[in-house]
Amino acid sequence: MSGLLLRLAGPLQSWGERSVFTPVRDTAAFPTRSALIGMFAAAQGIGRGDGGLDRYQDVRLTVRVDRPGVRLVDYHTVGGGFPKARTAATSGGGNKGAAVVTRRHYLADAVFVVAVRAPDDTVEQLAQALRRPHWAPYLGRRSCAPDEPFLLRSHIDDPERELRTAVPLSRTSSRQEEGDTIAVEFLHEQPPRDGAADAIDINDVPVSFAQEGRTHIGRRLYRTVEPVHRDLAGPQHTLLTRLIDYAHAEGSA
């Protein structure tokens, strides 16, 4: 087993937990497993109806919440002001005859770093695909493009340890925080050994991405707040340089 590290950052992100056809298109407070597996499958050229999601069952994800972001709601309309024949289609083959109104939720200015652990051959395939994706990755919705650097490291023996000790933290430390560490939130798929975690149940494990038969099942996450050394935050104006240096260090090692 080995792993890779992804940094999910951008002006907007949206990690939906419910059907895309509901009037309110929500977002989870963190990247969902469904969205990340979908990102991997898209990078590898696996279509929605192709199946083959069993290949990701051994993938384990740990999320570090650098910045939770600010929730925004976009009042969104589709098909308003057009003749009925040019309005949104219905499932029965007709047209709605009016604008479709949705309220779409986003996280603004959020940053997450994801440790992806999997068998070595899976990590190698994912790393190659994420470097040269068949379909471009996005942060939950196609309009939400990721910042660079995106793939921070591609071959790491202990990616979770890197989250705690090495990956630059995209956050400035608060003046109220004293000492050498900063409290940072983590989300784990496995319970911590000491049992000190809050359990979160979420229905985001993809069984099928087929357009007419999307199916998900539930999983349990474990939320912890852990100390990260203040040096990982560093001066905010040097963050991009430190991230690029960290990403490039793998190639020069």
Side-chain angles (χ1 to χ4, degrees):
M1 299 283 283
S2 59
L4 53 82
L5 290 166
L6 297 176
R7 182 174 180 268
L8 307 181
L12 294 175
Q13 308 185 28
S14 188
W15 310 104
E17 293 183 79
R18 302 190 183 98
S19 167
V20 296
F21 303 111
T22 57
V24 177
R25 297 179 61 179
D26 66 342
T27 178
F30 48 82
T32 60
R33 183 175 178 91
S34 177
L36 292 171
I37 296 301
M39 181 188 295
F40 301 156
Q44 292 184 289
I46 301 170
R48 288 188 178 275
D50 293 347
L53 297 183
D54 289 348
R55 73 184 67 195
Y56 303 112
Q57 65 183 359
D58 293 330
V59 173
R60 294 292 174 262
L61 305 170
T62 301
V63 177
R64 189 183 78 183
V65 182
D66 285 22
R67 290 201 303 262
V70 177
R71 191 176 294 265
L72 298 179
V73 180
D74 175 34
Y75 178 82
H76 191 91
T77 64
V78 177
F82 290 104
K84 182 176 181 178
R86 295 179 61 189
T87 58
T90 67
S91 59
N95 296 85
K96 292 185 179 295
V100 176
V101 176
T102 60
R103 288 173 171 81
R104 306 186 181 191
H105 293 225
Y106 297 89
L107 301 176
D109 199 32
V111 181
F112 307 94
V113 182
V114 182
V116 182
R117 182 183 287 274
D120 292 345
D121 56 342
T122 300
V123 170
E124 178 62 31
Q125 292 166 17
L126 288 176
Q128 292 181 7
L130 290 167
R131 288 194 190 97
R132 297 177 177 82
H134 184 90
W135 287 300
Y138 49 84
L139 306 179
R141 294 197 185 130
R142 289 187 180 89
S143 60
C144 302
D147 285 348
E148 292 287 351
F150 171 64
L151 177 60
L152 289 177
R153 291 278 178 93
S154 57
H155 298 90
I156 306 174
D157 292 335
D158 191 344
E160 292 85 3
R161 184 176 183 276
E162 289 286 302
L163 290 182
R164 297 183 181 94
T165 63
V167 181
L169 184 68
S170 300
R171 191 177 83 186
T172 55
S173 59
S174 169
R175 292 182 179 179
Q176 284 74 38
E177 293 174 307
E178 299 180 355
D180 295 330
T181 61
I182 300 172
V184 177
E185 180 180 348
F186 289 80
L187 295 158
H188 312 265
E189 291 191 318
Q190 301 294 326
R193 293 180 181 178
D194 61 9
D198 297 325
I200 302 171
D201 293 319
I202 182 170
N203 193 62
D204 72 341
V205 179
V207 176
S208 171
F209 286 131
Q211 197 70 36
E212 302 301 325
R214 296 185 187 181
T215 309
H216 295 79
I217 59 175
R219 64 171 174 153
R220 175 159 289 186
L221 285 175
Y222 300 88
R223 175 184 176 274
T224 62
V225 178
E226 304 177 29
V228 169
H229 201 280
R230 189 179 295 272
D231 287 349
L232 292 187
Q236 190 65 16
H237 70 275
T238 67
L239 174 62
L240 181 58
T241 299
R242 289 184 289 117
L243 285 166
I244 292 173
D245 288 346
Y246 177 81
H248 286 178
E250 179 179 54
S252 60

